[in-house]
Amino acid sequence: MKKYILILFIANFCNAQIEQRKLVWQENFNGKQLNAKDWNFELGNGCPNCGWGNNERQLYTDKNHKIEKGKLIITAQKKDSLYTSTRITTQGKKEFQYGRIEARAKLPVGKGIWPAFWMLGSNIKTVGWPKCGEIDILEYVGKNPHLVYTTLHTEDSHGNSINTKQTVFSDIEEGFHLFAIDWTKDKIEFFVDNKSVYTFQPTVKNENIWPFDQKFYIIVNMAIGGNFGGPDVDDSIFPQEFIIDYIKVYQ
């Protein structure tokens, strides 16, 4: 009973915090196709930074997704020797600085799968990565069941995953879950199902440690294999679906 009351208190507190903010953008996937005013497709194998910088196996297309019953469904497939998937971004269209950014999603499963809901700094074209900063609100790799990865990449960390947390959720593969950050000028706090799992709040905030004082854009994708998701891929798992119910931004 005490555990239930505590969970209820946390949920009510988080809802109260959200209600104090204004919903500035939401994507409910209610149309027949993605809104081109908000979304871009990133296509191909990532060359000249082939494998999207991570030795990933998939070719991104604008065909490996559908919108159905108010949900975005990204499907990873393998046909013959070709892996395909979809990657979309809001770069140059919907970019945000600070606030609560959240997505409700259902994860794919299986060795080699690597779905993600994340953000990159809007100045990436001028300063490059990782100086632009990266916020990984959700990463999941099928080879490590029941783990959710929440990570920040900066120039100070040389792009490595040192500002990170791995959190066990025994039921994360079951049904839909809520993945979010609360981002202010002072800190970034990560949540899974409204449970705080990691906070980054450095004392020194120069451009190499804290590139998070600018606008960032949203990315949703499902990679296959790669340095993080692989190297082994179980071909028997395909097709796999990464389902996003909604994305919301409060400020």
Side-chain angles (χ1 to χ4, degrees):
M1 179 61 71
K2 289 182 179 179
K3 181 178 180 181
Y4 171 78
I5 293 173
L6 178 61
I7 293 172
L8 185 62
F9 172 80
I10 293 172
N12 289 337
F13 177 78
C14 291
N15 289 335
Q17 293 292 98
I18 293 172
E19 288 173 1
Q20 293 176 9
R21 294 174 175 169
K22 180 181 178 182
L23 179 63
V24 297
W25 183 69
Q26 61 181 325
E27 174 59 90
N28 292 315
F29 303 109
N30 288 328
K32 295 182 179 180
Q33 58 188 14
L34 285 172
N35 185 351
K37 293 182 179 179
D38 293 344
W39 293 102
N40 313 292
F41 287 99
E42 292 193 322
L43 305 176
N45 59 7
C47 289
N49 195 19
C50 301
W52 298 92
N54 302 295
N55 294 310
E56 299 163 27
R57 299 192 185 189
Q58 78 287 336
L59 181 77
Y60 283 127
T61 81
D62 59 1
K63 308 298 182 185
N64 284 67
H65 76 286
K66 61 183 177 181
I67 293 179
E68 187 174 272
K69 298 180 180 178
K71 295 177 175 60
L72 170 66
I73 304 173
I74 294 177
T75 303
Q77 297 179 323
K78 185 185 182 188
K79 185 175 182 181
D80 299 324
S81 60
L82 181 64
Y83 298 92
T84 56
S85 185
T86 286
R87 170 168 163 154
I88 58 174
T89 87
T90 63
Q91 185 177 20
K93 296 178 177 180
K94 294 294 180 180
E95 299 181 345
F96 307 96
Q97 181 177 350
Y98 308 140
R100 178 181 170 95
I101 296 96
E102 65 179 31
R104 183 173 182 265
K106 186 177 187 298
L107 300 175
V109 295
K111 186 181 291 186
I113 287 296
W114 178 9
F117 169 56
W118 52 301
M119 305 180 78
L120 283 173
S122 59
N123 63 347
I124 187 171
K125 290 184 178 180
T126 57
V127 304
W129 183 93
K131 197 173 185 66
C132 65
E134 177 178 326
I135 307 171
D136 296 328
I137 304 172
L138 156 71
E139 286 185 292
Y140 172 86
V141 288
K143 66 180 181 180
N144 295 326
H146 314 313
L147 282 181
V148 174
Y149 295 81
T150 48
T151 305
L152 295 163
H153 296 279
T154 65
E155 182 77 10
D156 179 66
S157 66
H158 305 289
N160 294 318
S161 300
I162 62 173
N163 304 317
T164 187
K165 180 70 180 294
Q166 302 174 25
T167 309
V168 175
F169 290 90
S170 60
D171 64 344
I172 202 66
E173 291 87 4
E174 301 172 16
F176 285 84
H177 296 271
L178 189 65
F179 306 94
I181 56 167
D182 186 357
W183 171 23
T184 71
K185 64 181 180 62
D186 297 313
K187 66 182 178 67
I188 299 177
E189 186 172 6
F190 294 79
F191 297 86
V192 178
D193 292 333
N194 290 324
K195 175 185 176 182
S196 177
V197 295
Y198 176 61
T199 300
F200 182 62
Q201 190 173 8
T203 302
V204 177
K205 288 185 170 64
N206 58 44
E207 63 180 4
N208 293 327
I209 296 174
W210 185 260
F212 309 110
D213 56 356
Q214 60 163 323
K215 290 185 176 182
F216 274 60
Y217 61 89
I218 293 170
I219 307 169
V220 181
N221 71 290
M222 177 160 46
I224 301 168
N227 300 337
F228 194 40
D232 296 329
V233 177
D234 179 3
D235 290 342
S236 70
I237 67 173
F238 296 103
Q240 282 292 317
E241 293 181 340
F242 182 26
I243 307 175
I244 298 89
D245 184 15
Y246 63 75
I247 299 170
K248 295 182 180 180
V249 179
Y250 299 86
Q251 290 180 332

Short mmCIF file of all heavy atoms in Angstrom, two decimals, residues 139-195:
data_model
loop_
_atom_site.label_atom_id
_atom_site.label_comp_id
_atom_site.label_asym_id
_atom_site.label_seq_id
_atom_site.Cartn_x
_atom_site.Cartn_y
_atom_site.Cartn_z
N GLU A 139 17.09 5.21 -25.54
CA GLU A 139 17.74 4.23 -26.39
C GLU A 139 17.50 2.86 -25.78
O GLU A 139 17.53 2.69 -24.55
CB GLU A 139 19.24 4.48 -26.51
CG GLU A 139 19.61 5.66 -27.39
CD GLU A 139 21.10 5.79 -27.55
OE1 GLU A 139 21.78 6.10 -26.54
OE2 GLU A 139 21.61 5.58 -28.67
N TYR A 140 17.28 1.89 -26.65
CA TYR A 140 17.07 0.52 -26.22
C TYR A 140 17.79 -0.38 -27.20
O TYR A 140 17.71 -0.16 -28.42
CB TYR A 140 15.57 0.19 -26.20
CG TYR A 140 15.25 -1.26 -25.95
CD1 TYR A 140 15.14 -1.77 -24.65
CD2 TYR A 140 15.03 -2.14 -27.01
CE1 TYR A 140 14.84 -3.10 -24.42
CE2 TYR A 140 14.73 -3.47 -26.80
CZ TYR A 140 14.63 -3.95 -25.50
OH TYR A 140 14.34 -5.27 -25.28
N VAL A 141 18.52 -1.36 -26.70
CA VAL A 141 19.18 -2.31 -27.60
C VAL A 141 18.69 -3.71 -27.25
O VAL A 141 18.74 -4.14 -26.10
CB VAL A 141 20.72 -2.21 -27.51
CG1 VAL A 141 21.20 -0.94 -28.17
CG2 VAL A 141 21.22 -2.27 -26.09
N GLY A 142 18.21 -4.40 -28.29
CA GLY A 142 17.58 -5.69 -28.07
C GLY A 142 18.47 -6.76 -27.48
O GLY A 142 17.98 -7.71 -26.86
N LYS A 143 19.80 -6.60 -27.64
CA LYS A 143 20.71 -7.60 -27.08
C LYS A 143 20.78 -7.52 -25.56
O LYS A 143 21.28 -8.45 -24.92
CB LYS A 143 22.11 -7.43 -27.68
CG LYS A 143 22.79 -6.12 -27.28
CD LYS A 143 24.18 -5.98 -27.89
CE LYS A 143 24.84 -4.68 -27.45
NZ LYS A 143 26.19 -4.52 -28.03
N ASN A 144 20.30 -6.41 -24.98
CA ASN A 144 20.30 -6.22 -23.53
C ASN A 144 18.88 -5.96 -23.04
O ASN A 144 18.50 -4.82 -22.78
CB ASN A 144 21.21 -5.05 -23.14
CG ASN A 144 22.66 -5.31 -23.46
OD1 ASN A 144 23.14 -6.43 -23.38
ND2 ASN A 144 23.37 -4.25 -23.83
N PRO A 145 18.06 -7.00 -22.92
CA PRO A 145 16.66 -6.81 -22.53
C PRO A 145 16.51 -6.12 -21.18
O PRO A 145 17.40 -6.20 -20.32
CB PRO A 145 16.12 -8.24 -22.47
CG PRO A 145 17.06 -9.05 -23.31
CD PRO A 145 18.40 -8.40 -23.15
N HIS A 146 15.40 -5.42 -21.03
CA HIS A 146 14.96 -4.79 -19.78
C HIS A 146 15.78 -3.56 -19.39
O HIS A 146 15.60 -3.04 -18.29
CB HIS A 146 14.99 -5.80 -18.62
CG HIS A 146 14.40 -7.13 -18.94
ND1 HIS A 146 13.17 -7.26 -19.57
CD2 HIS A 146 14.85 -8.40 -18.73
CE1 HIS A 146 12.91 -8.56 -19.73
NE2 HIS A 146 13.90 -9.25 -19.24
N LEU A 147 16.65 -3.08 -20.26
CA LEU A 147 17.46 -1.90 -19.96
C LEU A 147 17.02 -0.71 -20.81
O LEU A 147 16.85 -0.84 -22.03
CB LEU A 147 18.94 -2.16 -20.21
CG LEU A 147 19.73 -2.96 -19.17
CD1 LEU A 147 21.18 -3.08 -19.61
CD2 LEU A 147 19.65 -2.31 -17.80
N VAL A 148 16.89 0.45 -20.18
CA VAL A 148 16.67 1.71 -20.89
C VAL A 148 17.92 2.57 -20.71
O VAL A 148 18.41 2.74 -19.59
CB VAL A 148 15.44 2.46 -20.34
CG1 VAL A 148 15.32 3.84 -20.99
CG2 VAL A 148 14.17 1.65 -20.61
N TYR A 149 18.42 3.12 -21.81
CA TYR A 149 19.62 3.96 -21.79
C TYR A 149 19.20 5.42 -21.96
O TYR A 149 18.45 5.76 -22.87
CB TYR A 149 20.56 3.58 -22.93
CG TYR A 149 21.15 2.20 -22.82
CD1 TYR A 149 20.41 1.08 -23.23
CD2 TYR A 149 22.43 1.98 -22.32
CE1 TYR A 149 20.94 -0.20 -23.15
CE2 TYR A 149 22.97 0.71 -22.23
CZ TYR A 149 22.22 -0.38 -22.64
OH TYR A 149 22.73 -1.66 -22.55
N THR A 150 19.70 6.29 -21.07
CA THR A 150 19.49 7.73 -21.17
C THR A 150 20.87 8.38 -21.12
O THR A 150 21.62 8.19 -20.16
CB THR A 150 18.60 8.23 -20.02
OG1 THR A 150 19.09 7.69 -18.77
CG2 THR A 150 17.17 7.78 -20.20
N THR A 151 21.20 9.18 -22.14
CA THR A 151 22.60 9.59 -22.33
C THR A 151 22.69 11.00 -22.89
O THR A 151 21.84 11.44 -23.65
CB THR A 151 23.30 8.61 -23.29
OG1 THR A 151 23.17 7.28 -22.80
CG2 THR A 151 24.77 8.95 -23.46
N LEU A 152 23.79 11.68 -22.53
CA LEU A 152 24.14 12.96 -23.12
C LEU A 152 25.53 12.87 -23.74
O LEU A 152 26.44 12.27 -23.14
CB LEU A 152 24.14 14.07 -22.06
CG LEU A 152 22.77 14.38 -21.44
CD1 LEU A 152 22.94 15.16 -20.14
CD2 LEU A 152 21.91 15.16 -22.41
N HIS A 153 25.69 13.45 -24.91
CA HIS A 153 27.00 13.51 -25.58
C HIS A 153 27.42 14.96 -25.70
O HIS A 153 26.62 15.82 -26.12
CB HIS A 153 26.94 12.88 -26.96
CG HIS A 153 26.64 11.41 -26.96
ND1 HIS A 153 27.60 10.46 -26.71
CD2 HIS A 153 25.48 10.74 -27.15
CE1 HIS A 153 27.04 9.25 -26.77
NE2 HIS A 153 25.75 9.41 -27.04
N THR A 154 28.68 15.25 -25.35
CA THR A 154 29.22 16.61 -25.44
C THR A 154 30.66 16.56 -25.93
O THR A 154 31.28 15.48 -25.97
CB THR A 154 29.20 17.30 -24.07
OG1 THR A 154 30.10 16.61 -23.19
CG2 THR A 154 27.80 17.31 -23.46
N GLU A 155 31.20 17.71 -26.27
CA GLU A 155 32.61 17.79 -26.65
C GLU A 155 33.50 17.38 -25.48
O GLU A 155 34.52 16.71 -25.65
CB GLU A 155 32.94 19.21 -27.10
CG GLU A 155 34.36 19.41 -27.57
CD GLU A 155 34.61 18.87 -28.97
OE1 GLU A 155 33.63 18.49 -29.65
OE2 GLU A 155 35.78 18.82 -29.38
N ASP A 156 33.12 17.74 -24.28
CA ASP A 156 33.89 17.42 -23.08
C ASP A 156 34.01 15.92 -22.87
O ASP A 156 35.03 15.43 -22.41
CB ASP A 156 33.25 18.07 -21.85
CG ASP A 156 33.98 17.74 -20.56
OD1 ASP A 156 35.14 18.20 -20.42
OD2 ASP A 156 33.41 17.04 -19.71
N SER A 157 32.97 15.19 -23.24
CA SER A 157 33.00 13.73 -23.08
C SER A 157 33.56 13.04 -24.32
O SER A 157 33.55 11.81 -24.41
CB SER A 157 31.59 13.19 -22.79
OG SER A 157 30.75 13.38 -23.91
N HIS A 158 34.04 13.86 -25.28
CA HIS A 158 34.63 13.33 -26.53
C HIS A 158 33.65 12.43 -27.27
O HIS A 158 34.05 11.50 -27.97
CB HIS A 158 35.93 12.59 -26.25
CG HIS A 158 36.93 13.40 -25.49
ND1 HIS A 158 37.60 14.46 -26.04
CD2 HIS A 158 37.35 13.32 -24.20
CE1 HIS A 158 38.41 15.00 -25.14
NE2 HIS A 158 38.27 14.33 -24.01
N GLY A 159 32.35 12.69 -27.09
CA GLY A 159 31.34 11.89 -27.76
C GLY A 159 31.07 10.57 -27.09
O GLY A 159 30.17 9.83 -27.52
N ASN A 160 31.81 10.22 -26.06
CA ASN A 160 31.62 8.94 -25.40
C ASN A 160 30.45 9.01 -24.41
O ASN A 160 30.04 10.08 -23.99
CB ASN A 160 32.89 8.52 -24.66
CG ASN A 160 34.03 8.24 -25.61
OD1 ASN A 160 33.83 7.63 -26.65
ND2 ASN A 160 35.21 8.72 -25.26
N SER A 161 29.96 7.84 -24.04
CA SER A 161 28.78 7.77 -23.18
C SER A 161 29.19 7.78 -21.71
O SER A 161 29.03 6.79 -20.99
CB SER A 161 27.96 6.51 -23.51
OG SER A 161 27.56 6.54 -24.85
N ILE A 162 29.71 8.91 -21.23
CA ILE A 162 30.10 8.97 -19.82
C ILE A 162 29.03 9.67 -18.98
O ILE A 162 28.94 9.43 -17.79
CB ILE A 162 31.47 9.66 -19.62
CG1 ILE A 162 31.42 11.11 -20.11
CG2 ILE A 162 32.57 8.90 -20.33
CD1 ILE A 162 32.69 11.90 -19.79
N ASN A 163 28.22 10.53 -19.64
CA ASN A 163 27.11 11.17 -18.95
C ASN A 163 25.85 10.35 -19.26
O ASN A 163 25.03 10.72 -20.10
CB ASN A 163 26.94 12.61 -19.41
CG ASN A 163 28.21 13.42 -19.24
OD1 ASN A 163 28.87 13.33 -18.21
ND2 ASN A 163 28.56 14.21 -20.24
N THR A 164 25.72 9.22 -18.57
CA THR A 164 24.72 8.25 -18.97
C THR A 164 24.21 7.45 -17.79
O THR A 164 24.84 7.41 -16.73
CB THR A 164 25.30 7.30 -20.04
OG1 THR A 164 24.25 6.46 -20.55
CG2 THR A 164 26.40 6.43 -19.46
N LYS A 165 23.09 6.78 -18.00
CA LYS A 165 22.52 5.90 -16.98
C LYS A 165 21.80 4.76 -17.67
O LYS A 165 21.07 4.95 -18.64
CB LYS A 165 21.53 6.67 -16.09
CG LYS A 165 20.89 5.84 -15.00
CD LYS A 165 21.89 5.47 -13.91
CE LYS A 165 21.23 4.63 -12.79
NZ LYS A 165 20.21 5.42 -12.04
N GLN A 166 22.01 3.56 -17.16
CA GLN A 166 21.28 2.38 -17.60
C GLN A 166 20.32 2.00 -16.47
O GLN A 166 20.75 1.79 -15.34
CB GLN A 166 22.22 1.22 -17.89
CG GLN A 166 23.27 1.51 -18.94
CD GLN A 166 24.27 0.38 -19.08
OE1 GLN A 166 23.98 -0.76 -18.78
NE2 GLN A 166 25.48 0.71 -19.53
N THR A 167 19.04 1.90 -16.78
CA THR A 167 18.04 1.62 -15.76
C THR A 167 17.25 0.37 -16.13
O THR A 167 16.79 0.24 -17.27
CB THR A 167 17.07 2.80 -15.59
OG1 THR A 167 17.83 4.01 -15.41
CG2 THR A 167 16.17 2.60 -14.38
N VAL A 168 17.09 -0.51 -15.17
CA VAL A 168 16.37 -1.76 -15.40
C VAL A 168 14.87 -1.54 -15.22
O VAL A 168 14.43 -0.98 -14.20
CB VAL A 168 16.84 -2.86 -14.44
CG1 VAL A 168 15.99 -4.12 -14.60
CG2 VAL A 168 18.31 -3.18 -14.67
N PHE A 169 14.10 -1.96 -16.20
CA PHE A 169 12.64 -2.02 -16.12
C PHE A 169 12.23 -3.40 -16.63
O PHE A 169 12.32 -3.67 -17.83
CB PHE A 169 11.99 -0.92 -16.97
CG PHE A 169 12.18 0.46 -16.43
CD1 PHE A 169 13.29 1.22 -16.80
CD2 PHE A 169 11.27 1.02 -15.55
CE1 PHE A 169 13.48 2.50 -16.31
CE2 PHE A 169 11.45 2.30 -15.05
CZ PHE A 169 12.55 3.04 -15.43
N SER A 170 11.78 -4.24 -15.75
CA SER A 170 11.52 -5.63 -16.11
C SER A 170 10.40 -5.78 -17.13
O SER A 170 10.35 -6.78 -17.85
CB SER A 170 11.18 -6.45 -14.86
OG SER A 170 10.02 -5.92 -14.22
N ASP A 171 9.52 -4.76 -17.22
CA ASP A 171 8.39 -4.86 -18.13
C ASP A 171 8.48 -3.88 -19.29
O ASP A 171 7.48 -3.59 -19.94
CB ASP A 171 7.09 -4.61 -17.36
CG ASP A 171 7.01 -3.19 -16.80
OD1 ASP A 171 8.07 -2.51 -16.74
OD2 ASP A 171 5.91 -2.77 -16.42
N ILE A 172 9.68 -3.37 -19.58
CA ILE A 172 9.81 -2.30 -20.58
C ILE A 172 9.41 -2.78 -21.97
O ILE A 172 9.03 -1.98 -22.83
CB ILE A 172 11.24 -1.72 -20.58
CG1 ILE A 172 11.24 -0.29 -21.18
CG2 ILE A 172 12.22 -2.63 -21.32
CD1 ILE A 172 10.51 0.72 -20.37
N GLU A 173 9.51 -4.08 -22.22
CA GLU A 173 9.14 -4.62 -23.54
C GLU A 173 7.63 -4.83 -23.67
O GLU A 173 7.15 -5.21 -24.75
CB GLU A 173 9.86 -5.95 -23.79
CG GLU A 173 11.36 -5.81 -23.99
CD GLU A 173 12.15 -5.82 -22.70
OE1 GLU A 173 11.54 -6.00 -21.62
OE2 GLU A 173 13.38 -5.65 -22.75
N GLU A 174 6.89 -4.61 -22.60
CA GLU A 174 5.45 -4.88 -22.60
C GLU A 174 4.66 -3.59 -22.72
O GLU A 174 4.75 -2.70 -21.87
CB GLU A 174 5.05 -5.61 -21.31
CG GLU A 174 5.77 -6.93 -21.12
CD GLU A 174 5.51 -7.53 -19.75
OE1 GLU A 174 4.55 -7.08 -19.08
OE2 GLU A 174 6.26 -8.43 -19.34
N GLY A 175 3.89 -3.45 -23.77
CA GLY A 175 3.01 -2.30 -23.93
C GLY A 175 3.75 -0.99 -24.15
O GLY A 175 4.94 -0.95 -24.49
N PHE A 176 3.03 0.11 -23.92
CA PHE A 176 3.57 1.45 -24.13
C PHE A 176 4.15 2.02 -22.85
O PHE A 176 3.67 1.74 -21.75
CB PHE A 176 2.47 2.39 -24.65
CG PHE A 176 2.11 2.16 -26.09
CD1 PHE A 176 1.20 1.17 -26.43
CD2 PHE A 176 2.67 2.93 -27.09
CE1 PHE A 176 0.86 0.95 -27.76
CE2 PHE A 176 2.34 2.72 -28.42
CZ PHE A 176 1.43 1.72 -28.76
N HIS A 177 5.21 2.85 -23.02
CA HIS A 177 5.85 3.52 -21.89
C HIS A 177 6.14 4.96 -22.26
O HIS A 177 6.25 5.31 -23.45
CB HIS A 177 7.14 2.79 -21.50
CG HIS A 177 6.91 1.40 -21.02
ND1 HIS A 177 6.66 1.08 -19.71
CD2 HIS A 177 6.86 0.22 -21.71
CE1 HIS A 177 6.48 -0.21 -19.59
NE2 HIS A 177 6.58 -0.76 -20.79
N LEU A 178 6.28 5.80 -21.23
CA LEU A 178 6.51 7.23 -21.43
C LEU A 178 7.96 7.56 -21.17
O LEU A 178 8.50 7.27 -20.09
CB LEU A 178 5.61 8.04 -20.49
CG LEU A 178 5.56 9.56 -20.72
CD1 LEU A 178 4.94 9.88 -22.07
CD2 LEU A 178 4.77 10.23 -19.60
N PHE A 179 8.61 8.19 -22.16
CA PHE A 179 10.02 8.56 -22.07
C PHE A 179 10.11 10.08 -22.19
O PHE A 179 9.58 10.66 -23.13
CB PHE A 179 10.82 7.88 -23.18
CG PHE A 179 10.64 6.39 -23.21
CD1 PHE A 179 9.69 5.79 -24.02
CD2 PHE A 179 11.43 5.57 -22.40
CE1 PHE A 179 9.51 4.42 -24.04
CE2 PHE A 179 11.27 4.19 -22.40
CZ PHE A 179 10.31 3.61 -23.22
N ALA A 180 10.82 10.72 -21.24
CA ALA A 180 10.78 12.19 -21.20
C ALA A 180 12.04 12.77 -20.60
O ALA A 180 12.80 12.10 -19.90
CB ALA A 180 9.57 12.64 -20.37
N ILE A 181 12.24 14.07 -20.89
CA ILE A 181 13.24 14.87 -20.19
C ILE A 181 12.57 16.14 -19.67
O ILE A 181 11.60 16.64 -20.24
CB ILE A 181 14.44 15.28 -21.08
CG1 ILE A 181 13.99 16.03 -22.33
CG2 ILE A 181 15.29 14.08 -21.41
CD1 ILE A 181 15.12 16.72 -23.08
N ASP A 182 13.12 16.65 -18.58
CA ASP A 182 12.79 17.98 -18.07
C ASP A 182 14.08 18.79 -18.18
O ASP A 182 15.04 18.54 -17.45
CB ASP A 182 12.32 17.89 -16.61
CG ASP A 182 11.83 19.22 -16.09
OD1 ASP A 182 11.90 20.22 -16.83
OD2 ASP A 182 11.37 19.26 -14.94
N TRP A 183 14.08 19.75 -19.10
CA TRP A 183 15.31 20.45 -19.50
C TRP A 183 15.16 21.93 -19.15
O TRP A 183 14.26 22.61 -19.63
CB TRP A 183 15.51 20.21 -21.00
CG TRP A 183 16.57 20.98 -21.69
CD1 TRP A 183 17.68 21.57 -21.16
CD2 TRP A 183 16.62 21.24 -23.10
NE1 TRP A 183 18.41 22.18 -22.16
CE2 TRP A 183 17.79 21.99 -23.35
CE3 TRP A 183 15.79 20.90 -24.18
CZ2 TRP A 183 18.14 22.41 -24.63
CZ3 TRP A 183 16.13 21.31 -25.45
CH2 TRP A 183 17.30 22.06 -25.67
N THR A 184 16.06 22.42 -18.29
CA THR A 184 16.08 23.82 -17.91
C THR A 184 17.46 24.40 -18.22
O THR A 184 18.36 23.68 -18.69
CB THR A 184 15.78 24.01 -16.42
OG1 THR A 184 16.90 23.53 -15.65
CG2 THR A 184 14.52 23.25 -16.01
N LYS A 185 17.67 25.65 -17.89
CA LYS A 185 18.98 26.28 -18.12
C LYS A 185 20.04 25.71 -17.18
O LYS A 185 21.24 25.90 -17.41
CB LYS A 185 18.90 27.79 -17.95
CG LYS A 185 18.55 28.27 -16.55
CD LYS A 185 18.48 29.78 -16.48
CE LYS A 185 18.13 30.27 -15.08
NZ LYS A 185 19.14 29.89 -14.08
N ASP A 186 19.62 24.97 -16.16
CA ASP A 186 20.55 24.45 -15.16
C ASP A 186 20.79 22.95 -15.24
O ASP A 186 21.87 22.47 -14.87
CB ASP A 186 20.03 24.77 -13.74
CG ASP A 186 19.96 26.26 -13.49
OD1 ASP A 186 20.94 26.97 -13.82
OD2 ASP A 186 18.92 26.73 -13.00
N LYS A 187 19.79 22.19 -15.74
CA LYS A 187 19.93 20.74 -15.68
C LYS A 187 19.05 20.07 -16.71
O LYS A 187 18.11 20.67 -17.25
CB LYS A 187 19.57 20.21 -14.30
CG LYS A 187 18.11 20.39 -13.91
CD LYS A 187 17.85 19.88 -12.50
CE LYS A 187 16.40 20.10 -12.06
NZ LYS A 187 15.43 19.29 -12.81
N ILE A 188 19.36 18.79 -16.97
CA ILE A 188 18.49 17.92 -17.76
C ILE A 188 18.21 16.68 -16.92
O ILE A 188 19.14 15.97 -16.52
CB ILE A 188 19.13 17.53 -19.10
CG1 ILE A 188 19.41 18.77 -19.95
CG2 ILE A 188 18.21 16.56 -19.86
CD1 ILE A 188 20.12 18.47 -21.27
N GLU A 189 16.92 16.44 -16.66
CA GLU A 189 16.52 15.28 -15.87
C GLU A 189 15.72 14.34 -16.77
O GLU A 189 14.82 14.77 -17.49
CB GLU A 189 15.69 15.70 -14.67
CG GLU A 189 15.35 14.56 -13.72
CD GLU A 189 14.69 15.04 -12.43
OE1 GLU A 189 14.39 16.25 -12.33
OE2 GLU A 189 14.45 14.21 -11.53
N PHE A 190 16.06 13.05 -16.71
CA PHE A 190 15.43 12.03 -17.55
C PHE A 190 14.40 11.24 -16.75
O PHE A 190 14.62 10.91 -15.58
CB PHE A 190 16.48 11.07 -18.10
CG PHE A 190 17.46 11.69 -19.05
CD1 PHE A 190 18.53 12.45 -18.60
CD2 PHE A 190 17.32 11.51 -20.42
CE1 PHE A 190 19.44 13.01 -19.48
CE2 PHE A 190 18.24 12.07 -21.32
CZ PHE A 190 19.30 12.83 -20.84
N PHE A 191 13.30 10.89 -17.44
CA PHE A 191 12.22 10.14 -16.80
C PHE A 191 11.79 8.97 -17.68
O PHE A 191 11.77 9.08 -18.91
CB PHE A 191 11.00 11.03 -16.57
CG PHE A 191 11.23 12.18 -15.62
CD1 PHE A 191 11.75 13.38 -16.08
CD2 PHE A 191 10.92 12.06 -14.28
CE1 PHE A 191 11.95 14.44 -15.22
CE2 PHE A 191 11.13 13.12 -13.40
CZ PHE A 191 11.64 14.31 -13.87
N VAL A 192 11.41 7.87 -17.03
CA VAL A 192 10.73 6.76 -17.69
C VAL A 192 9.48 6.48 -16.88
O VAL A 192 9.56 6.21 -15.67
CB VAL A 192 11.61 5.50 -17.76
CG1 VAL A 192 10.83 4.35 -18.41
CG2 VAL A 192 12.89 5.78 -18.55
N ASP A 193 8.32 6.58 -17.54
CA ASP A 193 7.04 6.42 -16.84
C ASP A 193 6.97 7.33 -15.61
O ASP A 193 6.52 6.91 -14.53
CB ASP A 193 6.81 4.96 -16.47
CG ASP A 193 6.58 4.09 -17.70
OD1 ASP A 193 6.10 4.61 -18.72
OD2 ASP A 193 6.89 2.88 -17.64
N ASN A 194 7.45 8.56 -15.78
CA ASN A 194 7.44 9.60 -14.74
C ASN A 194 8.35 9.28 -13.55
O ASN A 194 8.30 9.97 -12.53
CB ASN A 194 6.01 9.89 -14.26
CG ASN A 194 5.19 10.60 -15.31
OD1 ASN A 194 5.70 11.44 -16.04
ND2 ASN A 194 3.92 10.27 -15.39
N LYS A 195 9.19 8.27 -13.70
CA LYS A 195 10.19 7.98 -12.67
C LYS A 195 11.52 8.62 -13.08
O LYS A 195 12.02 8.37 -14.17
CB LYS A 195 10.38 6.48 -12.52
CG LYS A 195 11.51 6.10 -11.55
CD LYS A 195 11.75 4.60 -11.51
CE LYS A 195 12.93 4.26 -10.61
NZ LYS A 195 13.21 2.79 -10.58
#
